[in-house]
mmCIF file of all heavy atoms in Angstrom:
data_model
loop_
_atom_site.group_PDB
_atom_site.id
_atom_site.type_symbol
_atom_site.label_atom_id
_atom_site.label_comp_id
_atom_site.label_asym_id
_atom_site.label_seq_id
_atom_site.Cartn_x
_atom_site.Cartn_y
_atom_site.Cartn_z
ATOM 1 N N ILE A 180 -7.770 9.771 -23.853
ATOM 2 C CA ILE A 180 -7.418 10.634 -24.961
ATOM 3 C C ILE A 180 -8.581 10.791 -25.940
ATOM 4 O O ILE A 180 -8.926 11.858 -26.464
ATOM 5 C CB ILE A 180 -6.164 10.090 -25.739
ATOM 6 C CG1 ILE A 180 -4.902 10.318 -24.909
ATOM 7 C CG2 ILE A 180 -6.043 10.718 -27.128
ATOM 8 C CD1 ILE A 180 -3.673 9.661 -25.451
ATOM 9 N N ILE A 181 -9.295 9.646 -26.145
ATOM 10 C CA ILE A 181 -10.460 9.718 -27.075
ATOM 11 C C ILE A 181 -11.574 10.531 -26.538
ATOM 12 O O ILE A 181 -12.102 11.450 -27.147
ATOM 13 C CB ILE A 181 -10.973 8.270 -27.349
ATOM 14 C CG1 ILE A 181 -9.947 7.554 -28.198
ATOM 15 C CG2 ILE A 181 -12.345 8.244 -28.025
ATOM 16 C CD1 ILE A 181 -10.119 5.963 -28.290
ATOM 17 N N ARG A 182 -11.913 10.292 -25.238
ATOM 18 C CA ARG A 182 -12.957 11.053 -24.538
ATOM 19 C C ARG A 182 -12.659 12.525 -24.428
ATOM 20 O O ARG A 182 -13.584 13.360 -24.496
ATOM 21 C CB ARG A 182 -13.204 10.445 -23.177
ATOM 22 C CG ARG A 182 -14.245 11.074 -22.346
ATOM 23 C CD ARG A 182 -14.142 10.746 -20.900
ATOM 24 N NE ARG A 182 -12.832 11.291 -20.369
ATOM 25 C CZ ARG A 182 -12.218 10.818 -19.255
ATOM 26 N NH1 ARG A 182 -12.798 9.872 -18.557
ATOM 27 N NH2 ARG A 182 -11.098 11.336 -18.913
ATOM 28 N N ASP A 183 -11.412 12.843 -24.181
ATOM 29 C CA ASP A 183 -11.036 14.271 -23.904
ATOM 30 C C ASP A 183 -10.699 15.095 -25.090
ATOM 31 O O ASP A 183 -9.992 16.112 -24.935
ATOM 32 C CB ASP A 183 -9.853 14.283 -22.955
ATOM 33 C CG ASP A 183 -10.226 13.685 -21.526
ATOM 34 O OD1 ASP A 183 -11.408 13.636 -21.215
ATOM 35 O OD2 ASP A 183 -9.319 13.318 -20.776
ATOM 36 N N TYR A 184 -11.159 14.700 -26.263
ATOM 37 C CA TYR A 184 -10.884 15.462 -27.489
ATOM 38 C C TYR A 184 -11.103 16.958 -27.313
ATOM 39 O O TYR A 184 -10.202 17.787 -27.542
ATOM 40 C CB TYR A 184 -11.666 14.942 -28.687
ATOM 41 C CG TYR A 184 -11.630 15.905 -29.856
ATOM 42 C CD1 TYR A 184 -10.576 15.947 -30.770
ATOM 43 C CD2 TYR A 184 -12.635 16.887 -30.020
ATOM 44 C CE1 TYR A 184 -10.505 16.771 -31.836
ATOM 45 C CE2 TYR A 184 -12.578 17.806 -31.044
ATOM 46 C CZ TYR A 184 -11.509 17.727 -32.009
ATOM 47 O OH TYR A 184 -11.441 18.643 -33.024
ATOM 48 N N LEU A 185 -12.276 17.312 -26.901
ATOM 49 C CA LEU A 185 -12.668 18.731 -26.859
ATOM 50 C C LEU A 185 -11.907 19.480 -25.759
ATOM 51 O O LEU A 185 -11.398 20.585 -26.009
ATOM 52 C CB LEU A 185 -14.164 18.912 -26.634
ATOM 53 C CG LEU A 185 -14.714 20.278 -26.879
ATOM 54 C CD1 LEU A 185 -14.526 20.767 -28.302
ATOM 55 C CD2 LEU A 185 -16.231 20.339 -26.530
ATOM 56 N N GLU A 186 -11.776 18.878 -24.608
ATOM 57 C CA GLU A 186 -11.041 19.532 -23.523
ATOM 58 C C GLU A 186 -9.583 19.789 -23.935
ATOM 59 O O GLU A 186 -9.003 20.878 -23.714
ATOM 60 C CB GLU A 186 -11.090 18.609 -22.261
ATOM 61 C CG GLU A 186 -10.307 19.229 -21.055
ATOM 62 C CD GLU A 186 -10.255 18.259 -19.898
ATOM 63 O OE1 GLU A 186 -11.064 17.277 -19.819
ATOM 64 O OE2 GLU A 186 -9.367 18.455 -19.033
ATOM 65 N N ASP A 187 -8.926 18.815 -24.613
ATOM 66 C CA ASP A 187 -7.541 19.003 -25.006
ATOM 67 C C ASP A 187 -7.445 20.056 -26.072
ATOM 68 O O ASP A 187 -6.472 20.825 -26.167
ATOM 69 C CB ASP A 187 -7.010 17.636 -25.532
ATOM 70 C CG ASP A 187 -6.689 16.664 -24.399
ATOM 71 O OD1 ASP A 187 -6.489 17.147 -23.241
ATOM 72 O OD2 ASP A 187 -6.646 15.495 -24.660
ATOM 73 N N GLN A 188 -8.460 20.119 -26.955
ATOM 74 C CA GLN A 188 -8.433 21.192 -27.997
ATOM 75 C C GLN A 188 -8.469 22.567 -27.336
ATOM 76 O O GLN A 188 -7.779 23.468 -27.754
ATOM 77 C CB GLN A 188 -9.620 20.985 -28.912
ATOM 78 C CG GLN A 188 -9.452 19.936 -29.988
ATOM 79 C CD GLN A 188 -8.369 20.353 -31.021
ATOM 80 O OE1 GLN A 188 -8.453 21.343 -31.637
ATOM 81 N NE2 GLN A 188 -7.405 19.498 -31.094
ATOM 82 N N LEU A 189 -9.339 22.718 -26.362
ATOM 83 C CA LEU A 189 -9.415 24.009 -25.662
ATOM 84 C C LEU A 189 -8.148 24.355 -24.890
ATOM 85 O O LEU A 189 -7.861 25.579 -24.719
ATOM 86 C CB LEU A 189 -10.640 23.977 -24.656
ATOM 87 C CG LEU A 189 -12.003 23.885 -25.316
ATOM 88 C CD1 LEU A 189 -13.082 23.638 -24.231
ATOM 89 C CD2 LEU A 189 -12.378 25.137 -26.058
ATOM 90 N N GLU A 190 -7.395 23.335 -24.481
ATOM 91 C CA GLU A 190 -6.166 23.584 -23.778
ATOM 92 C C GLU A 190 -4.943 23.666 -24.717
ATOM 93 O O GLU A 190 -3.852 23.939 -24.252
ATOM 94 C CB GLU A 190 -5.904 22.451 -22.746
ATOM 95 C CG GLU A 190 -6.913 22.348 -21.639
ATOM 96 C CD GLU A 190 -6.563 23.287 -20.479
ATOM 97 O OE1 GLU A 190 -5.591 24.017 -20.577
ATOM 98 O OE2 GLU A 190 -7.351 23.326 -19.491
ATOM 99 N N GLY A 191 -5.203 23.460 -25.986
ATOM 100 C CA GLY A 191 -4.132 23.540 -26.960
ATOM 101 C C GLY A 191 -3.293 22.310 -27.034
ATOM 102 O O GLY A 191 -2.112 22.363 -27.475
ATOM 103 N N ARG A 192 -3.834 21.150 -26.612
ATOM 104 C CA ARG A 192 -3.132 19.901 -26.677
ATOM 105 C C ARG A 192 -3.670 18.980 -27.712
ATOM 106 O O ARG A 192 -4.865 19.025 -27.961
ATOM 107 C CB ARG A 192 -3.176 19.182 -25.287
ATOM 108 C CG ARG A 192 -2.545 19.971 -24.113
ATOM 109 C CD ARG A 192 -2.561 19.112 -22.845
ATOM 110 N NE ARG A 192 -3.916 18.779 -22.436
ATOM 111 C CZ ARG A 192 -4.513 19.305 -21.415
ATOM 112 N NH1 ARG A 192 -3.871 20.199 -20.669
ATOM 113 N NH2 ARG A 192 -5.712 18.916 -21.011
ATOM 114 N N GLU A 193 -2.809 18.194 -28.365
ATOM 115 C CA GLU A 193 -3.261 17.245 -29.373
ATOM 116 C C GLU A 193 -2.577 15.885 -29.145
ATOM 117 O O GLU A 193 -1.412 15.797 -29.204
ATOM 118 C CB GLU A 193 -2.874 17.797 -30.817
ATOM 119 C CG GLU A 193 -3.625 19.053 -31.204
ATOM 120 C CD GLU A 193 -3.496 19.374 -32.680
ATOM 121 O OE1 GLU A 193 -2.712 18.731 -33.370
ATOM 122 O OE2 GLU A 193 -4.172 20.366 -33.123
ATOM 123 N N PHE A 194 -3.449 14.884 -28.902
ATOM 124 C CA PHE A 194 -2.954 13.534 -28.673
ATOM 125 C C PHE A 194 -3.542 12.490 -29.679
ATOM 126 O O PHE A 194 -3.131 11.320 -29.633
ATOM 127 C CB PHE A 194 -3.258 13.122 -27.220
ATOM 128 C CG PHE A 194 -2.544 13.943 -26.174
ATOM 129 C CD1 PHE A 194 -3.360 14.757 -25.344
ATOM 130 C CD2 PHE A 194 -1.172 13.992 -26.129
ATOM 131 C CE1 PHE A 194 -2.701 15.576 -24.352
ATOM 132 C CE2 PHE A 194 -0.593 14.763 -25.144
ATOM 133 C CZ PHE A 194 -1.319 15.530 -24.293
ATOM 134 N N TRP A 195 -4.556 12.910 -30.453
ATOM 135 C CA TRP A 195 -5.025 11.935 -31.487
ATOM 136 C C TRP A 195 -3.934 11.795 -32.577
ATOM 137 O O TRP A 195 -3.336 12.799 -33.005
ATOM 138 C CB TRP A 195 -6.325 12.494 -32.071
ATOM 139 C CG TRP A 195 -7.539 12.292 -31.215
ATOM 140 C CD1 TRP A 195 -7.508 12.246 -29.820
ATOM 141 C CD2 TRP A 195 -8.917 12.206 -31.574
ATOM 142 N NE1 TRP A 195 -8.785 12.089 -29.366
ATOM 143 C CE2 TRP A 195 -9.666 12.095 -30.408
ATOM 144 C CE3 TRP A 195 -9.471 12.219 -32.811
ATOM 145 C CZ2 TRP A 195 -11.035 11.952 -30.430
ATOM 146 C CZ3 TRP A 195 -10.944 12.098 -32.821
ATOM 147 C CH2 TRP A 195 -11.678 11.962 -31.658
#
Side-chain angles (χ1 to χ4, degrees):
I180 287 173
I181 290 167
R182 179 200 60 201
D183 292 342
Y184 165 84
L185 193 61
E186 180 185 340
D187 286 337
Q188 279 294 302
L189 293 170
E190 294 277 1
R192 298 187 296 253
E193 293 191 355
F194 298 115
W195 284 25

